[in-house]
């Protein structure tokens, strides 16, 4: 079986490739850069569904897209679905500045995969609860990994990629997606 992952983010693709390499080696995962203007919504599922429909129009083969974001409680869920844009504009330093007075550091990553099989779109959600660190730590991963500490742990995802690989929102959503493909 061959499935296309349409994403402009090479880190997302690498994580998915490594996941399927272990979980489902027979599946051939291919990559196409896909840059389109996302609809505006607070909801990752709505965005992912729309993106999957647009990607299918372009590539015309079974594919999935993934929309994800970091939702910070004390910032009323900001950056949420604007996470990619916020990363470009203010980065992790900007987020830590916005939170300099916040005692509530709780946050979560949410990811939605929308899979277009040629007939219909199916969606899957993965969540990872955690908190925002006081400072940037670690060099692995990408995006908000240097400031995100998963619940019950002491290290950021960027300090421990092993931790990320077994706890992350992407790992969880890929697991659900993989189970679905198997049925
Ligand atoms: P595509 O839409 O083309 O797939 P993108 O990077 O624009 O790529 P999103 O719109 O889903 O993807 O933006 C999600 C952003 O949230 C992403 O750019 C990162 O800044 C952040 N993010 C998502 N998953 C992350 C992870 O596992 N670790 C750290 N940051 C993450």
């Amino acid at each position: 079986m061959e499935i296309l992952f349409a994403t402009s983010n090479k880190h997302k693709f690498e994580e998915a490739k490594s996941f399927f390499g272990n979980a489902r080696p027979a599946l051939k995962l291919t990559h196409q850069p896909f840059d389109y203007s996302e609809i505006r919504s607070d909801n990752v599922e709505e965005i992912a569904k729309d993106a999957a429909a647009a990607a299918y129009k372009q590539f015309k083969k079974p594919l999935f897209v993934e929309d994800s974001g970091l939702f910070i409680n004390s910032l009323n869920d900001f950056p949420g679905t604007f996470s990619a844009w916020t990363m470009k504009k203010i980065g992790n330093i900007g987020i830590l500045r916005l939170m300099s007075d916040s005692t509530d550091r709780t946050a979560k990553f949410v990811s939605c995969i929308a899979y277009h099989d040629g007939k219909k779109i199916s969606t899957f959600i993965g969540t990872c609860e955690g908190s925002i660190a006081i400072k940037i730590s670690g060099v692995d991963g990408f995006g908000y990994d240097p400031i995100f500490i998963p619940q019950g742990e002491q290290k950021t995802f960027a300090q421990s990629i092993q931790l990320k690989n077994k706890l992350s929102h992407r790992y969880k959503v890929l697991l659900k997606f993989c189970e679905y493909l198997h049925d």
Side-chain angles (χ1 to χ4, degrees):
M1 184 181 196
E2 182 175 325
I3 300 186
L4 171 68
F5 186 5
T7 176
S8 65
N9 186 324
K10 68 176 189 331
H11 303 283
K12 285 185 179 181
F13 176 71
E14 278 159 14
E15 289 188 7
K17 180 101 184 149
S18 139
F19 173 88
F20 282 115
N22 291 320
R24 192 117 186 249
L27 185 139
K28 188 172 173 223
L29 189 69
T30 58
H31 178 216
Q32 279 288 348
F34 175 58
D35 234 341
Y36 92 118
S37 10
E38 255 175 44
I39 54 160
R40 275 202 185 188
S41 165
D42 283 342
N43 185 310
V44 287
E45 189 173 17
E46 237 172 64
I47 296 174
K49 268 186 177 169
D50 183 75
Y56 191 80
K57 264 190 201 155
Q58 190 172 326
F59 301 116
K60 298 182 180 63
K61 51 170 101 159
L63 58 79
F64 69 97
V65 300
E66 192 235 270
D67 195 70
S68 46
L70 177 67
F71 295 74
I72 301 176
N73 282 325
S74 63
L75 302 180
N76 293 330
D77 284 345
F78 180 81
T81 54
F82 299 99
S83 290
W85 179 81
T86 305
M87 179 48 66
K88 277 188 210 126
K89 293 287 180 192
I90 63 170
N92 286 321
I93 292 176
I95 293 287
L96 293 183
R97 274 198 198 122
L98 287 176
M99 293 185 71
S100 56
D101 290 336
S102 305
T103 48
D104 175 7
R105 315 281 306 178
T106 56
K108 66 180 173 200
F109 270 122
V110 181
S111 163
C112 178
I113 282 180
Y115 170 53
H116 199 313
D117 63 7
K119 291 186 185 127
K120 61 178 187 316
I121 296 175
S122 311
T123 57
F124 311 86
I125 304 271
T127 301
C128 179
E129 301 280 348
S131 62
I132 302 301
I134 300 294
K135 61 180 178 57
I136 291 174
S137 303
V139 292
D140 288 333
F142 69 98
Y144 301 96
D145 286 339
I147 60 166
F148 185 83
I149 303 175
Q151 203 169 51
E153 304 291 338
Q154 308 295 325
K155 289 181 176 174
T156 65
F157 274 162
Q159 286 176 296
S160 172
I161 220 64
Q162 291 84 352
L163 217 53
K164 183 172 189 189
N165 289 343
K166 65 174 188 194
L167 296 177
S168 82
H169 50 306
R170 186 157 301 101
Y171 170 72
K172 290 177 184 164
V173 76
L174 285 167
L175 206 57
K176 286 186 189 170
F177 180 38
C178 191
E179 276 162 14
Y180 170 87
L181 290 175
H182 209 61
D183 294 341

